[in-house]
């Protein structure tokens, strides 16, 4: 009898130092089947496979041998050894069996029992994904031998296109990191890497025919520091680009992981870096400077200049030689028409082609480039602005400004990749904690990513066939290093992977979060700096009906214990254990942390509260806030929490171009010594302070007397309006905030309505 047979029949009871023998193969530990994205069908058995150094991998073709090597690389991290790869074998083996089923090439089956693990892929890609699932069946703890649970899995993706994007124009990332990015994509069965290679702020790919793209366009003199509205710069030159050899290396690496790389070469907008290198391609002829601030620039490729099209054709020729992908992404987004409106060449082109306007000129530009790419056997993808002026005949649309572009394109029988910012922009904040690092704005927690449904309900079944999948986008204005990038992408990318792979009717967020507890240990093995918000302590602030607020604390870590403090000290296992809602009885900070096995898990809840007379009092009237900055209830105005400077915490009421009014009703007529409210001055983001704020007091809620007025708000960021009063009594307090109105000429967003922000109505 071999040692392996002995182990199969005997269970070592280490604690007692005894061997007990059984004829049945032991089952793997409970909870060991924890796979992301969740397979279409999983059946567990009371069996298991013992993987040890004698196990072999059977791989019959070159593709499967590469897949076996990738499995061995993972296994070596856990066990210290690799398995022998053989052409044949049928016992104590992992058998990779690749077929040729084109109905769903990425599908596979996986069975594991005490004899073998058999993975049958419909293609090399299917076998590869089966192996990715096998990796997730392995324990995450390091050991010399390990049990793989007995399972029968039948699996295939719901969507053919499962994408993850990376902008390297704003900030550049090394080839080694790009490979890690691809590794993590493969782990989550994502199959398309959208590489955003050119931008106003930097051109990142070598084009041999145009060396100034490397010499000039790849560099900028400095970079914005801090928030856009701060208008500060670091004064440090910045640059970088990928050589064509490096690009080939990345493309091959991705192919080995069954990932297609789609390059994006922006046109006609977001082209300032290229114009700096070759000024003749712009409408004015320059001089130009590679962009140093974020946002959109007026200088774009001249649509009336034939040299532009020849330049881009030359560029695309070199790009196509590097990227074998069916699709080439040509951008097409955020292209201002202001230069075209005044450019004689562009106006001549409009007249010559019989075009309606500058929007039609953009369509002409896109269609001309599409015809060239079609002539080379390629197709274009563009952002949904390519719908403007008429869609190019064979174009695929990426719908990013909501879902409307995707709906319109699908109804025109064009293929669509859904990527709406509300659900798919990983540069948005993922927590409302004041401790979050700087992001571009918005709020997109893992739970919201997971809730996304890529097929709009408005589409018929025939139209829905054109929704080929979805993609998460990672724009890097504020993401300047790999640690921060990983923090922004994971585990949100794990959530989108399940949205795109798993059957819709089997998705369940609580079950996903439960599996994520195990999955993050795999991310630990890959040294990923993932965000831990899914397991952080969250607090729901409620009106307790007693003239105050309670905070209900919770965590997705079911086995964890929450401890809290109300004196601003750090919560430890020696602090107060959480058993019931925490009542806020004074001004201070509530801090809470979940612990598992004596160790902190996830992020801490840390929330400052103001205790004042208006706390949880009735709001008898309030102007309706605009969509996008409309908290769930007016209670937020008197919940004791002051909104943060990033205004991403659902505390701020926003009013676009209109005034704000609110009335708070106290319990009785009483002395009032202070009235206050917070507002924001962030003109770079179109948020203006009010022209004036007026407080008035009343005994009956009908006749009000003005008690305080303020009309200067100099501070950038949050302005805390505070009126100190003497000998004032009342039951009702009204605040009126006058909106700035239209944004003045020369300012960001000129001509649009200014936003007015308000939060926390304070009375004392």
């Amino acid at each position: 009898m071999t040692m392996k047979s002995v182990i199969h029949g005997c269970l070592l009871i280490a604690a007692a130092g005894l061997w007990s023998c059984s004829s049945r193969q032991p089952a793997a530990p409970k909870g060991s089947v924890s796979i992301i994205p969740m397979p279409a069908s999983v059946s567990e058995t009371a069996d298991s496979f013992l993987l040890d150094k004698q196990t072999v991998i059977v791989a019959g073709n070159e593709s499967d041998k590469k897949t076996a090597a990738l499995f061995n690389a993972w296994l070596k991290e856990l066990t210290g050894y690799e398995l022998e790869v053989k052409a044949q074998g049928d016992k104590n083996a992992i058998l990779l069996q690749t077929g040729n089923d084109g109905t769903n090439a990425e599908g596979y089956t996986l069975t594991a029992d005490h004899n073998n693990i058999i993975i049958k892929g419909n293609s090399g890609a299917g076998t590869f994904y089966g192996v990715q699932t096998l990796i997730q069946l392995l324990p995450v703890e390091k050991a010399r031998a390990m049990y793989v649970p007995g399972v029968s899995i039948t699996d295939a993706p719901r969507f053919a296109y499962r994408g993850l994007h990376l902008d390297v124009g704003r900030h550049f990332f090394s080839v080694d990191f790009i490979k890690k990015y691809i590794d993590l994509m493969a782990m989550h069965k994502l199959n398309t890497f959208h590489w955003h290679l050119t931008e106003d702020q930097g051109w990142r790919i070598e084009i041999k025919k145009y060396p100034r793209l490397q010499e000039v366009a790849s560099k900028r003199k400095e970079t914005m520091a801090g928030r856009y509205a701060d208008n500060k710069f670091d004064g440090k030159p910045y640059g970088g680009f990928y050589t064509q050899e490096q690009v080939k290396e990345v493309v091959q690496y991705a192919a080995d992981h069954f990932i297609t790389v789609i390059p994006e070469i922006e046109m006609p907008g977001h082209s300032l870096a290229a114009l700096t290198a070759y000024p003749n391609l712009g409408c004015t002829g320059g001089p130009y400077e590679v962009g140093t601030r974020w946002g959109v620039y007026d200088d774009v490729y001249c649509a009336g200049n034939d040299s532009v099209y020849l330049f881009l054709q030359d560029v695309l020729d070199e790009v196509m030689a590097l990227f074998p992908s069916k699709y080439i992404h040509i951008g097409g987004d955020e292209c201002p028409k202001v230069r075209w409106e005044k450019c004689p060449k562009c106006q001549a082109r409009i007249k010559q082609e019989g075009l309606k306007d500058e929007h039609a000129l953009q369509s002409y530009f896109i269609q001309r480039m599409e015809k060239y790419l079609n002539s080379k056997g390629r197709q274009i993808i563009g952002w949904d602005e390519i719908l403007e002026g008429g869609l190019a005949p064979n174009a695929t649309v990426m719908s990013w400004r909501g879902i409307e572009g995707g709906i319109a394109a699908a109804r025109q029988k064009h293929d669509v990749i859904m990527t709406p910012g509300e659900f798919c922009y990983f540069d948005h904040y993922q927590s409302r904690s004041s401790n979050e690092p700087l992001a571009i704005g918005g709020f997109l927690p893992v739970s919201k990513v997971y809730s996304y449904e890529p097929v709009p309900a408005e589409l018929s079944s025939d139209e829905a066939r054109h929704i080929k999948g979805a993609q998460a986008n990672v724009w890097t204005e504020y993401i300047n290093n790999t640690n921060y990038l990983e923090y922004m992408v994971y585990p949100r990318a794990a959530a989108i992977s399940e949205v795109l792979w798993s059957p819709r009717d089997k998705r369940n967020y609580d079950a996903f979060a439960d599996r994520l507890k195990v999955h993050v240990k795999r991310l630990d093995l890959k040294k990923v700096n993932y965000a831990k918000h899914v397991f952080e302590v969250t607090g729901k602030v409620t009106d307790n009906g007693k003239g105050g607020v309670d905070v209900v604390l919770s965590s997705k870590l079911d086995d964890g214990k929450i401890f809290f403090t109300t004196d601003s000290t750090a919560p430890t296992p020696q602090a107060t254990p959480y058993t019931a809602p925490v009542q806020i009885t004074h001004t201070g900070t509530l801090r809470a942390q979940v612990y598992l096995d004596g160790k902190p898990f996830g992020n801490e809840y840390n929330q400052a509260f103001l205790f004042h007379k208006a706390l949880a009092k009735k709001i008898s009237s309030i102007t309706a806030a605009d969509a996008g900055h409309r908290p769930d209830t007016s209670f937020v105005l008197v919940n004791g929490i002051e909104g943060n400077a990033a205004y991403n915490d659902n505390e701020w009421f926003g009013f676009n171009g209109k005034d704000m009014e609110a009335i708070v009703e106290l319990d009785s007529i009483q002395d009032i010594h202070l009235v206050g409210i917070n507002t924001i001055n962030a003109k770079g983001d179109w948020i203006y302070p009010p022209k004036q704020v007026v407080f008035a007091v009343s005994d009956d809620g009908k006749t009000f007397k003005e008690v305080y007025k303020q009309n200067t708000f100099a501070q950038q960021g949050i302005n805390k309006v505070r009126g100190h009063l003497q000998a004032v009594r009342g039951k009702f307090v009204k605040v009126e905030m006058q909106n700035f109105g239209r944004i003045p000429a020369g300012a960001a967003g000129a001509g649009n309505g200014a936003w007015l922000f308000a939060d926390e109505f304070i009375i004392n």
Side-chain angles (χ1 to χ4, degrees):
M1 180 180 284
T2 65
M3 186 61 189
K4 177 129 183 172
S5 299
V6 172
I7 295 174
H8 273 167
C10 300
L11 175 65
L12 175 62
I13 306 177
L18 302 174
W19 287 91
S20 73
C21 293
S22 167
S23 61
R24 197 178 79 173
Q25 172 74 1
K30 180 182 178 183
S32 55
V33 177
S34 180
I35 303 166
I36 294 176
M38 176 180 54
S41 172
V42 181
S43 297
E44 297 186 54
T45 70
D47 202 352
S48 64
F49 177 83
L50 179 61
L51 188 155
D52 63 12
K53 200 169 184 178
Q54 282 71 49
T55 304
V56 299
I57 303 176
V58 178
N61 60 47
E62 290 304 312
S63 174
D64 289 351
K65 288 177 183 177
K66 286 183 178 180
T67 296
L70 293 171
F71 175 79
N72 264 332
W74 180 275
L75 185 68
K76 189 172 183 179
E77 288 190 48
L78 290 175
T79 65
Y81 59 78
E82 297 182 355
L83 302 181
E84 184 181 359
V85 180
K86 293 184 174 182
Q88 292 181 328
D90 60 0
K91 294 293 183 183
N92 188 23
I94 300 169
L95 292 88
L96 307 184
Q97 301 174 351
T98 295
N100 189 22
D101 180 355
T103 56
N104 193 331
E106 295 177 305
Y108 67 93
T109 61
L110 185 156
T111 58
D113 60 24
H114 62 278
N115 290 318
N116 294 308
I117 297 172
I118 303 174
I119 297 172
K120 295 182 178 180
N122 294 350
S123 70
T127 304
F128 177 82
Y129 291 130
V131 167
Q132 292 300 318
T133 294
L134 173 58
I135 286 173
Q136 295 197 31
L137 291 172
L138 299 178
V140 290
E141 295 79 17
K142 294 186 177 184
R144 296 293 294 173
M146 55 190 65
Y147 282 117
V148 176
V151 291
S152 177
I153 295 175
T154 301
D155 199 12
R158 181 183 173 200
F159 291 100
Y161 187 108
R162 305 179 303 280
L164 188 61
H165 154 286
L166 181 60
D167 160 30
V168 295
R170 277 53 176 258
H171 283 102
F172 180 79
F173 298 90
S174 71
V175 168
D176 284 345
F177 178 77
I178 298 297
K179 288 180 177 179
K180 182 178 182 182
Y181 203 72
I182 289 168
D183 286 340
L184 294 170
M185 288 180 63
M187 178 194 294
H188 297 87
K189 301 184 176 76
L190 298 168
N191 67 354
T192 307
F193 173 41
H194 175 173
W195 206 1
H196 184 85
L197 289 163
T198 70
E199 256 305 336
D200 293 307
Q201 294 84 8
W203 183 285
R204 303 294 178 216
I205 181 171
E206 178 187 21
I207 302 297
K208 294 184 182 297
K209 188 168 184 177
Y210 296 99
R212 285 178 62 80
L213 292 174
Q214 293 81 258
E215 297 163 2
V216 176
S218 70
K219 304 168 187 176
R220 60 177 181 258
K221 70 177 184 182
E222 60 184 357
T223 301
M224 294 199 83
R227 292 187 55 79
Y228 180 88
D230 296 340
N231 198 33
K232 295 180 180 178
F233 298 84
D234 63 9
K236 300 175 183 177
Y238 187 93
F241 67 92
Y242 304 101
T243 67
Q244 293 198 0
E245 288 305 309
Q246 288 175 319
V247 170
K248 291 176 185 176
E249 183 181 347
V250 168
V251 170
Q252 183 58 55
Y253 190 84
D256 290 342
H257 292 73
F258 293 91
I259 290 173
T260 298
V261 185
I262 295 179
E264 181 177 1
I265 307 298
E266 277 272 18
M267 61 185 81
H270 288 289
S271 49
L272 184 57
L275 299 185
T276 305
Y278 296 97
N280 62 300
L281 302 178
C283 290
T284 67
Y288 304 107
E289 180 181 64
V290 177
T292 57
R293 64 175 63 246
W294 316 132
V296 177
Y297 288 83
D298 288 342
D299 287 301
V300 302
Y301 289 122
C302 177
N305 184 351
D306 284 330
S307 296
V308 166
Y309 301 99
L310 295 174
F311 166 81
L312 289 171
Q313 288 170 12
D314 290 339
V315 167
L316 291 173
D317 284 344
E318 294 194 33
V319 168
M320 286 186 283
L322 298 170
F323 295 91
S325 56
K326 171 185 175 182
Y327 290 111
I328 303 293
H329 202 300
I330 50 77
D333 64 310
E334 297 180 326
C335 179
K337 312 300 188 290
V338 57
R339 296 288 187 253
W340 291 357
E341 290 168 358
K342 298 178 179 179
C343 173
K345 290 182 179 179
C346 290
Q347 292 304 308
R349 180 79 67 188
I350 290 174
K351 184 176 181 181
Q352 174 187 335
E353 299 294 334
L355 304 175
K356 180 181 178 181
D357 54 20
E358 287 75 22
H359 293 291
L361 181 59
Q362 172 158 328
S363 180
Y364 165 84
F365 192 114
I366 298 298
Q367 291 190 41
R368 181 163 171 174
M369 296 312 303
E370 182 193 35
K371 288 175 184 175
Y372 184 76
L373 285 167
N374 289 167
S375 74
K376 303 291 185 177
R378 307 297 184 94
Q379 290 184 274
I380 68 166
I381 293 183
W383 303 107
D384 56 48
E385 284 95 332
I386 67 173
L387 287 159
E388 298 171 4
L391 189 55
N394 302 306
T396 295
V397 172
M398 274 192 170
S399 186
W400 73 279
R401 297 177 300 176
I403 65 173
E404 292 76 18
I407 293 171
R411 285 176 172 166
Q412 295 176 40
K413 302 189 184 307
H414 284 264
D415 288 346
V416 176
I417 309 302
M418 298 300 290
T419 179
E422 183 182 0
F423 295 96
C424 298
Y425 270 47
F426 288 0
D427 55 340
H428 290 183
Y429 286 100
Q430 53 194 319
S431 170
R432 288 185 166 129
S433 168
S434 59
N435 298 323
E436 279 297 280
L438 181 63
I440 201 166
F443 176 56
L444 181 58
V446 172
S447 57
K448 188 168 184 179
V449 176
Y450 193 85
S451 73
Y452 180 51
E453 170 47 45
V455 179
E458 294 88 338
L459 296 180
S460 69
S461 58
D462 185 58
E463 293 165 342
R465 291 188 299 105
H466 291 286
I467 306 298
K468 298 303 180 183
Q471 173 176 288
N473 294 332
V474 187
W475 302 101
T476 63
E477 286 93 337
Y478 297 98
I479 303 173
N480 60 5
N481 63 75
T482 57
N483 273 346
Y484 186 26
L485 182 58
E486 290 174 359
Y487 178 87
M488 296 299 278
V489 176
Y490 287 93
R492 290 192 286 192
I496 199 73
S497 78
E498 190 148 304
V499 167
L500 297 174
W501 182 279
S502 305
R504 181 181 182 183
D505 61 354
K506 292 191 176 182
R507 280 170 34 209
N508 177 281
Y509 179 69
D510 288 337
F512 169 78
D514 197 52
R515 283 177 280 120
L516 192 62
K517 296 169 193 173
V518 177
H519 192 68
V520 293
K521 296 178 182 179
R522 300 183 190 112
L523 298 180
D524 286 332
L525 287 171
K526 297 294 288 184
K527 296 180 172 57
V528 179
N529 184 44
Y530 58 89
K532 299 177 176 64
H533 304 103
V534 171
F535 308 111
E536 69 187 1
V537 178
T538 58
K540 182 178 181 181
V541 182
T542 62
D543 181 350
N544 63 17
K546 304 174 185 177
V549 298
D550 287 349
V551 184
V552 179
L553 301 176
S554 62
S555 169
K556 285 288 183 185
L557 198 65
D558 298 334
D559 299 328
K561 294 182 180 179
I562 298 173
F563 298 89
F564 72 92
T565 64
T566 56
D567 61 359
S568 301
T569 60
T572 69
Q574 287 70 50
T576 306
Y578 176 76
T579 57
V582 181
Q583 185 174 357
I584 301 302
T585 59
H586 60 275
T587 294
T589 299
L590 172 61
R591 298 176 65 179
Q593 176 70 61
V594 62
Y595 282 83
L596 183 65
D597 299 327
K599 297 179 180 179
F601 207 95
N603 293 345
E604 176 191 300
Y605 177 80
N606 187 312
Q607 181 60 62
F609 286 89
L610 288 177
F611 193 81
H612 54 85
K613 289 183 177 181
L615 192 67
K617 296 301 183 289
K618 180 181 178 182
I619 304 288
S620 55
S621 72
I622 184 172
T623 308
D626 288 74
H629 295 288
R630 184 186 300 159
D632 298 333
T633 169
S634 59
F635 169 70
V636 171
L637 197 62
V638 288
N639 66 357
I641 298 175
E642 295 185 282
N644 66 35
Y647 46 89
N648 69 326
D649 53 2
N650 204 36
E651 291 291 327
W652 292 97
F653 291 81
F655 307 89
N656 187 219
K658 61 184 179 182
D659 299 339
M660 178 268 194
E661 177 183 301
I663 299 174
V664 170
E665 181 179 351
L666 302 178
D667 295 332
S668 61
I669 297 174
Q670 51 193 279
D671 292 333
I672 298 172
H673 301 286
L674 180 140
V675 289
I677 199 163
N678 294 349
T679 188
I680 290 181
N681 180 356
K683 295 179 181 178
D685 292 339
W686 301 8
I687 302 170
Y688 277 60
K691 284 188 174 180
Q692 69 174 10
V693 176
V694 177
F695 288 93
V697 173
S698 170
D699 291 344
D700 58 9
K702 298 177 182 178
T703 304
F704 284 86
K705 177 184 177 182
E706 181 181 312
V707 294
Y708 182 76
K709 179 189 293 185
Q710 183 172 322
N711 52 26
T712 57
F713 311 91
Q715 181 176 320
Q716 176 72 16
I718 294 176
N719 281 257
K720 296 187 176 185
V721 179
R722 300 291 185 267
H724 296 275
L725 313 176
Q726 293 182 351
V728 173
R729 288 176 58 80
K731 181 178 181 181
F732 299 86
V733 180
K734 178 170 66 174
V735 62
E736 295 175 303
M737 303 178 72
Q738 185 180 355
N739 193 290
F740 190 89
R742 312 308 292 180
I743 297 175
N752 293 300
W755 282 90
L756 170 67
F757 272 33
D759 177 51
E760 202 55 24
F761 198 153
I762 299 167
I763 304 172
N764 262 327

